[in-house]
Every structure is written in structure tokens, then in C-alpha cells.
Amino acid sequence: MSSSSMPLSPLRLSLLFLLFTFHTTTTTAQGLINTTCKTCSQNNPNIKFNFCTTSLQSSPASQCAGDLHTLGTISIKLIQSNVTDTNCFIKQLIKNKKLVNPFIQRCLEDCFDLYSDAIPSVEQAMENYDLERFVDANVELSSVMDAATTCEDGFKEKRGVVSPLMKRNGDTFQLSAMALSIMGMLQTGSQY
Ligand SMILES: *[C@@H]1O[C@H](CO)[C@@H](O)[C@H](O)[C@H]1NC(C)=O
Ligand SMILES: *[C@@H]1O[C@H](CO)[C@@H](O)[C@H](O)[C@H]1NC(C)=O
């Protein structure tokens, strides 16, 4: 039986409609992520386009993100989970004393303090972002960015030492830069 001879039942019609709506929504969201990440990476060379799109897409909420403000929320939530996870990871590393020498141990302790302070900073930033207090959110997210940089720089003070937190610090730095960039677009309305 050819499909053309099948009547379009109301059920089939609504299924088609659902499929179409889903397709359109995800395509639009993808387009928004693409445009946003393109602008972010143009405005700040520290932000890699692929990192930006992959990160934003990893959030299930991004499939429905119809506006820039939502993408900003997603990026701050990503920082939140990054920072919390890294803080816990550092704690584990510090506990495992035999794996690290005294220099690294000291660096890790500094990083632990930095990330412990970063957790409430991101929380505050989320609150201020929701209230569109972008100036305050900017200060708080900049401090998170600084925390990642300061943590990473600590390991560089001794030759031959490889930071066990390099990727994590880099991710937190880049995600914060993304959130700051998105806030800049929201403030100036210059996203497109
Ligand atoms: C988004 O960018 C990706 C990678 O460049 C591309 O494959 C995709 O077609 C783009 N999607 C939209 C809706 O622009
Ligand atoms: C941090 O965020 C990035 C980008 O979303 C992700 O790839 C990475 O796995 C996250 N790291 C942790 C430790 O959660």
C-alpha cells in the first residue's frame, strides 16, 4: 500500500505536527547557539567556537532555548556544576597525599580555597543575572575567572610541574568568558 492512499487521520496529523514543531524548535535553538558562539569567539579569542557550541548543546534545556537570556542562564549553570565538581575533585587529590609532592600539595590547597570561594560567587552571579543586575553578575563571574587563572598560575611557579587541574581551570575560564560575553551582548543588544 502506498502511503498516499492512507488517509491522514487526526492522529497522524498531530504526530506530523509534533515532529515538525520539534524539528523547527531544535533548528532554531541550534541556530541561536551558532550565532551566539560565533559572536562570542569573535569578541574574545579565548572562547573557542566548538567548545562554546558543544557546552551549550550539552544542556538538555538548550534544545528549547529561544533567546539569548536563556543561553546565558545555561552558561552560568555550567560554570556552577564545573566549579562544584572541581572543588570536590581537588579535595580528593589533597586527601591522596602520596600522589603529590609538597609543592603540588600547597598549590592544591590554594586552589581548594579559590574554588571554595568561587562556589558562592557563581550562586550570587546567577541571582544577579536573573534580576538583570549585569554589572554585579559581571564582577562575580570575573572573580571566578580570576580564581581559575590564579589556581593554574600557582603550578607554573615551579619548572617541570604539570598542573593536574589544567583542563578544569581552562574549562571554567572559558565558560566564564562565555557568560560574560553573553551578558555584554544582552546589555548592548548587539547580538546580531
Ligand atoms: C550550526 O553549526 C553547525 C556547525 O558549524 C552546522 O553543522 C549546523 O548546520 C548549524 N546549524 C544551524 C541551524 O545553523
Ligand atoms: C566543565 O564544563 C565543560 C563544558 O561544558 C565540560 O566539557 C566539562 O566536562 C565540565 N567539567 C566538569 C568537571 O564538570
Side-chain angles (χ1 to χ4, degrees):
M1 172 185 353
S2 78
S3 65
S4 59
S5 72
M6 273 222 299
L8 276 175
S9 68
L11 179 66
R12 268 170 60 102
L13 269 175
S14 38
L15 274 177
L16 271 175
F17 178 72
L18 256 178
L19 211 63
F20 175 75
T21 310
F22 178 74
H23 178 75
T24 318
T25 312
T26 49
T27 311
T28 313
Q30 181 63 52
L32 177 69
I33 290 175
N34 279 7
T35 320
T36 305
C37 288
K38 217 164 139 190
T39 310
C40 280
S41 57
Q42 276 165 358
N43 290 349
N44 184 341
N46 289 313
I47 303 169
K48 301 289 169 245
F49 178 78
N50 283 338
F51 176 89
C52 179
T53 53
T54 311
S55 305
L56 292 177
Q57 279 160 13
S58 72
S59 162
S62 75
Q63 303 304 316
C64 311
D67 58 67
L68 190 61
H69 195 278
T70 309
L71 289 188
T73 304
I74 292 170
S75 68
I76 299 175
K77 284 190 176 151
L78 288 172
I79 304 170
Q80 209 157 19
S81 73
N82 246 261
V83 164
T84 311
D85 192 286
T86 296
N87 195 52
C88 173
F89 179 73
I90 299 172
K91 203 169 167 183
Q92 305 296 320
L93 286 181
I94 292 175
K95 264 202 234 156
N96 206 340
K97 282 199 162 73
K98 62 177 188 288
L99 278 183
V100 292
N101 67 37
F103 171 76
I104 295 183
Q105 188 76 16
R106 237 182 309 118
C107 291
L108 288 174
E109 277 159 13
D110 290 344
C111 290
F112 183 76
D113 290 344
L114 288 162
Y115 272 92
S116 299
D117 290 344
I119 294 173
S121 298
V122 185
E123 230 160 82
Q124 271 289 290
M126 189 77 254
E127 273 180 45
N128 283 319
Y129 181 82
D130 283 343
L131 297 167
E132 310 221 330
R133 290 194 201 131
F134 296 130
V135 175
D136 294 326
N138 188 307
V139 171
E140 283 135 11
L141 289 178
S142 300
S143 82
V144 173
M145 231 171 149
D146 286 346
T149 309
T150 308
C151 164
E152 190 58 29
D153 284 349
F155 295 98
K156 290 181 185 151
E157 280 168 23
K158 198 164 182 170
R159 268 172 163 268
V161 167
V162 176
S163 161
L165 302 172
M166 193 186 288
K167 182 178 183 297
R168 287 166 181 269
N169 285 331
D171 286 353
T172 297
F173 182 91
Q174 229 180 128
L175 286 175
S176 306
M178 277 163 55
L180 288 174
S181 186
I182 290 174
M183 280 198 292
M185 294 179 220
L186 286 169
Q187 277 172 293
T188 58
S190 68
Q191 60 264 46
Y192 298 115

